Amino acid sequence: MAATNELIRLEPVFHEMIWGGRRLADTFGYEIPDGPIGECWAISAHPHGDCRVTGGRFDGMLLSELWEEHRDEVFPGATGDRFPLLIKIIDAASDLSIQVHPDDAYAAEHENGSLGKRECWYILDCDEGATIIVGQNARSREEFAQMVEEGRWSELLHEVPIRRGDFFQIDAGTVHAIKGGTLILEVQQSSDITYRVYDYDRPGKDGKPRELHLAQSLDVIDYGAAAPASGAVSAPEVDGVTVLEANGIYTVERVRVDGAAVLANENPFLCLSVIDGSGTVAGQTVAKGAHLIVPAVLREVELAGEMELIASHV
Ligand code: ZN
């Protein structure tokens, strides 16, 4: 079939987490299951949460099926054995474990050919005085291991105050944790490989502490990386667009629409997440909480209304 110019709308997949809350319903209006719901996988073809298309020619199909069986129609020119990005909204009512992710090379060797994981966080909302952990103060494997053994967590971990609208790039090898009272949009490589360094000695769902992965963590931590002092965005806004991050794997932008705007799409696809307000994307009505994929054929995306979006692409 010919390449499509239809927007691909996706149904989120929700995950219960011991640290989750109810803000995905309260703030985003999603119909979520009972219990502490921590993650909304909004654009994902990962086997742990594969999103379904809603409406249009591909109605009911999984995003992984579009990637595998309809690539020439939706993502002409895209390469790779899996849809490369995973976009989530995270509601952290309490602290997430202190963790670190491997890079592609380590994951390929030690995790069955999985991708490594780079991720980035856009702070959608947070409590007064909220913080996160990005980076660590140990400068060698030995120093890190010793501080862990002695439980010197506050000395070891680099904690940063956060505000709404902050942005953090988390490279593979960076120790990090989202802390309670934070609502985040996360763009990451499509990987689910997490090495848990510390979980505050708290019980998991079954009452036992969750597994830690200190040996792997010590292998993958980048002891030379500089930790950020804040997540304040300093990039300029040009025609409503602020580039938050551009690296070899993904580009993430904040797009503010006040009236009408046109967004260029020069990629095999463009992921759009509406994080505030409402309007139209290529003539279709959207509102806060909508997640879409713009196919490659649509080179110029017309936006109208009063809204804020996060745009991401490879
Ligand atoms: Zn992480």
Side-chain angles (χ1 to χ4, degrees):
M1 281 220 264
T4 184
N5 61 1
E6 257 180 39
L7 298 178
I8 309 292
R9 274 184 195 255
L10 296 165
E11 287 282 351
V13 176
F14 298 99
H15 290 281
E16 184 175 330
M17 297 287 176
I18 56 166
W19 43 260
R22 303 298 301 167
R23 293 187 73 184
L24 291 168
D26 301 343
T27 307
F28 275 90
Y30 295 127
E31 278 185 40
I32 62 175
D34 291 341
I37 304 301
E39 298 193 349
C40 159
W41 290 27
I43 299 182
S44 164
H46 194 282
H48 297 170
D50 199 351
C51 295
R52 243 174 235 291
V53 178
T54 168
R57 181 165 132 196
F58 303 104
D59 188 39
M61 282 188 199
L62 295 168
L63 182 54
S64 63
E65 293 177 299
L66 283 196
W67 185 257
E68 279 150 29
E69 292 155 33
H70 300 275
R71 196 178 307 186
D72 292 345
E73 295 149 79
V74 185
F75 314 103
T79 53
D81 61 355
R82 65 206 105 185
F83 185 80
L85 298 182
L86 172 46
I87 298 172
K88 296 178 184 174
I89 298 176
I90 296 178
D91 170 19
S94 55
D95 300 347
L96 275 72
S97 60
I98 311 290
Q99 54 185 255
V100 61
H101 307 295
D103 63 12
D104 289 342
Y106 189 92
E109 191 181 334
H110 299 274
E111 302 289 349
N112 274 322
S114 173
L115 288 177
K117 184 166 162 186
R118 272 190 213 193
E119 64 189 50
C120 61
W121 302 333
Y122 184 78
I123 311 293
L124 296 170
D125 201 5
C126 59
D127 293 348
E128 189 74 39
T131 64
I132 53 163
I133 287 163
V134 184
Q136 76 286 330
N137 298 319
R139 283 292 155 258
S140 69
R141 183 187 177 111
E142 294 67 35
E143 193 184 354
F144 194 98
Q146 189 179 349
M147 288 173 94
V148 168
E149 199 177 299
E150 294 167 2
R152 289 150 63 194
W153 295 108
S154 59
E155 227 180 301
L156 174 61
L157 302 171
H158 185 77
E159 197 164 354
V160 185
I162 55 170
R163 290 163 313 173
R164 200 178 175 140
D166 280 357
F167 177 82
F168 295 89
Q169 166 61 26
I170 313 291
D171 289 325
T174 300
V175 174
H176 60 276
I178 298 170
K179 308 229 357 175
T182 310
L183 194 64
I184 274 180
L185 183 129
E186 179 178 270
V187 177
Q188 58 159 96
Q189 285 179 277
S190 186
S191 164
D192 210 12
I193 309 289
T194 294
Y195 299 141
R196 210 173 274 136
V197 179
Y198 180 52
D199 202 27
Y200 317 97
D201 304 313
R202 64 186 168 183
K205 248 202 240 176
D206 59 1
K208 293 187 204 125
R210 297 191 293 175
E211 192 189 350
L212 300 180
H213 317 91
L214 189 60
Q216 293 97 319
S217 300
L218 289 171
D219 276 353
V220 305
I221 290 169
D222 179 354
Y223 299 99
S230 93
V233 174
S234 57
E237 184 172 316
V238 180
D239 297 332
V241 177
T242 304
V243 178
L244 300 170
E245 170 72 11
N247 59 46
I249 293 171
Y250 52 69
T251 294
V252 178
E253 298 165 336
R254 177 180 59 202
V255 182
R256 286 181 169 146
V257 183
D258 180 13
V262 176
L263 204 57
N265 174 27
E266 288 147 6
N267 316 289
F269 62 87
L270 178 67
C271 297
L272 291 179
S273 299
V274 182
I275 58 171
D276 207 7
S278 61
T280 59
V281 174
Q284 285 200 29
T285 306
V286 294
K288 178 175 175 177
H291 303 271
L292 325 151
I293 299 176
V294 178
V297 164
L298 270 186
R299 292 331 241 173
E300 294 201 320
V301 192
E302 288 183 12
L303 307 173
E306 304 285 327
M307 56 182 175
E308 199 167 299
L309 306 94
I310 297 292
S312 24
H313 61 81
V314 284

